[in-house]
Amino acid sequence: MWAERQRVTSERVDELLYDSDRTRVSRVRLADGTLVVRKQPLGAGAAERLRNEIAVLRRLESVDGTPKLAGDGVEGALELVDSGARTLADLEMPWATDALLDLGLGLAEVLAGIHRRGVVHRDVSPANVLVDAATKRPTLIDFELATRPGSTAGEGLVGTLPYLAPEQTGRTGRPADHRSDLYSLGATLYELATGQPPFGRDRDPLSLVHDHLAKVPAAPAEVNPQVPALLSEIIRRLLSKEPEQRYQSGEGLAHDLEQLRAGRLTVLGERDFPIRLAPPAQLIGREAPLAALRALLDEAHTGSALALITGPPGVGKTALVDRLRPAVAAAGGRFVTGKFDQFHHDAGGGAVREAFDRLGDQLLAEPEDVVAEVRTRLREALGTDAGLIAALMPSFRTLLDVAPEHSDDPRAFLARLRQAGMTLLRTVANGAPLVFFLDDLQWATGAAFSYLDDVLDNPDVPGLLVLGAYREEEVDEAHPLTAVLARLHRDRGDAGEVRLANLGVDDLGVLIAGMLRLPEADRLAEVLAGRTGGNPFDTVELLNALRREGVLVPDGGGWRWDPAAVRDFVGHGDVVQLLTARIAALPADTRAAVDVMACVGGDVPLDLLGAPLTAAADDGLVVVDGASARFRHDRVQQAAFGRLTADERARLSLSLARRLAPAPE
């Protein structure tokens, strides 16, 4: 510590590069004369942001075009090797075509290297790109928001707004991945080509969010006739609203820019293959159920509505409901979710409480004047019941700023709480759409069904739409959900339930063709349908397994596979068995951490796992969000749990109980 103090007192700040209430960046001359760039995160979450950025930079230390750590830094800050380069934001725009092509190619290669190591930057913008004055090579900086692919839940706005991908607005329900970075790169190149970001810069946030979600910017060549037509098309492709319509990889973009620079580009995306195969954004074969949900949303404008969606695991229930998000956002509404867990039952309502807390978090994220107005309305509407809400919902405890109320009479407390919950929803909705989505109701507890009864008993909440998803095969006559279903069918007939079935062979062919960008995939669909039964999740997993094992191979501008090899591969077990094999192939310490996750269920704190999840996250088995992790899909948890024997589960459960037990006083 003395050496640390001595070092600090013998250095000086040469230049303050950036200063805000969130970050301070300085150029510092150390005692030995070395210049470093020191970045100090400030405010809420500063320590976690610092840990995240240091961990990411160490992961990327061999990637050209990323910052290099200059030693261990000082407490509360990181230090980077100072290149003396300037940011793009400091340079004049627009750029000449040759310089723009060179820079775009360099940034595409940097992003390709970052993405290959399983990192999503989430804030690509001119202010975060350094350009070396001598070599003109770009360096992508500021990895404070960087994360793993798919780890953002889509609940909030992340990044620099003029360059933000639609899925980073928190309004689409889709997580950010490497294609979000490519959109932001497109917005950056758009500004370099035209002098302005696609939708301007100095505009109010809501207008910019709307434009990213719904508006198509003018082609760069229309704004600046000096921009070549093919470069203009490349930038427009990067700015596609749907991730599947953008470039799928930095390598694919780099190939096209290199071909354009050499004058040989004729077809865009010819060598553009995704890092991981994913289903297209457009739902296949779901036109009728999607229309039913949209009709329910329209119906909820005049009064509350409740409907349930059923189908086998992996059929796409959550994906279907998520398609309502853009319409809800466009109408100024809110969309919140909660998910029940098979192995973690919460007597307090589980997913219902989770959805309420997320609603509170969304309200707290509004500007202070909006928060103050909502606080006043809620306090007036709830009256003496505000303390009940504060007692059980942490986010509303902060929002309402009242003392929690506790009671010795559980029945009276619960009755008042249920009434207060409906009052809260009525006040927040206020006629605008408010969608509550409760997933995996087959694992719900009694308190959740009381909430569903309350929604049915209170049809006078304009804007409120409550949707629940469940697996029909796991709900028998004794299940509490059966009574809710009977009441729905009695009151609403078929309109109270939406059923999803697996895809037929024709629709499966359309799904596979969209994933692989093939004109037709009927032959492959016929082979895979025999194993997956047309289940969308199982089909996606099987296609990725085929690619991982070298049975499905990128070839020029398409894909190559041997029908006999595909038939042989798909004949060896179902998707759960494939997932089990992937888990078994993980490093021993990662596998042990996945075993713990299987027993705990839900979001699991990372400090409970005792080992990094890097390999499992890279393989798409788990999603790491901040300080917790969860399985990417119930099927993965099913595979992880199923590979453990009863004795192994018992030993793990006992070990976890001992670790979680409070220390004796």
Side-chain angles (χ1 to χ4, degrees), residues 261-331:
R261 189 172 62 173
R264 296 193 297 266
L265 181 64
T266 55
V267 179
L268 268 59
E270 187 177 24
R271 299 295 177 91
D272 184 32
F273 295 99
I275 294 174
R276 187 179 187 279
L277 295 172
Q282 179 185 2
L283 292 179
I284 307 300
R286 303 300 189 214
E287 293 79 9
L290 184 56
L293 289 191
R294 286 173 173 160
L296 284 165
L297 187 62
D298 291 338
E299 178 186 332
H301 286 162
T302 56
S304 52
L306 169 66
L308 301 179
I309 302 103
T310 188
V315 77
K317 300 183 289 294
T318 303
L320 176 71
V321 175
D322 274 341
R323 291 307 179 272
L324 291 181
R325 286 181 184 264
V328 172

Side-chain angles (χ1 to χ4, degrees), residues 45-59 78 120-122 143-148 624 626:
E48 178 59 34
R49 285 184 277 127
L50 178 63
R51 282 194 296 270
N52 180 66
E53 184 158 14
I54 290 174
V56 169
L57 291 179
R58 285 175 176 161
R59 184 176 178 84
L78 61 82
V120 179
H121 186 278
R122 296 205 300 171
F143 284 80
E144 184 175 295
L145 298 177
T147 186
R148 316 286 294 176
V624 178

Side-chain angles (χ1 to χ4, degrees), residues 33-121:
T34 303
L35 280 174
V36 298
V37 172
R38 178 175 296 162
K39 179 178 179 182
Q40 180 183 8
L42 305 172
E48 178 59 34
R49 285 184 277 127
L50 178 63
R51 282 194 296 270
N52 180 66
E53 184 158 14
I54 290 174
V56 169
L57 291 179
R58 285 175 176 161
R59 184 176 178 84
L60 299 175
E61 61 185 357
S62 63
V63 177
D64 290 338
T66 60
K68 307 306 174 188
L69 290 168
D72 296 328
V74 297
E75 185 176 357
L78 61 82
E79 291 180 346
L80 305 169
V81 174
D82 184 15
S83 67
R86 300 172 64 190
T87 70
L88 282 181
D90 295 330
L91 303 178
E92 290 189 7
M93 302 180 193
W95 282 31
T97 297
D98 289 345
L100 178 54
L101 282 173
D102 289 344
L103 181 81
L105 176 58
L107 282 172
E109 291 172 341
V110 171
L111 284 178
I114 291 170
H115 296 158
R116 277 196 299 269
R117 283 155 181 80
V119 172
V120 179
H121 186 278

Side-chain angles (χ1 to χ4, degrees), residues 190 193-194 218-233 236:
Y190 190 103
T194 67
E222 295 177 9
V223 180
N224 179 5
Q226 301 301 313
V227 178
L230 281 174
L231 177 57
S232 183
E233 287 305 306
R236 293 190 71 184

Side-chain angles (χ1 to χ4, degrees), residues 108 126 207 220 445:
S207 295
T445 56

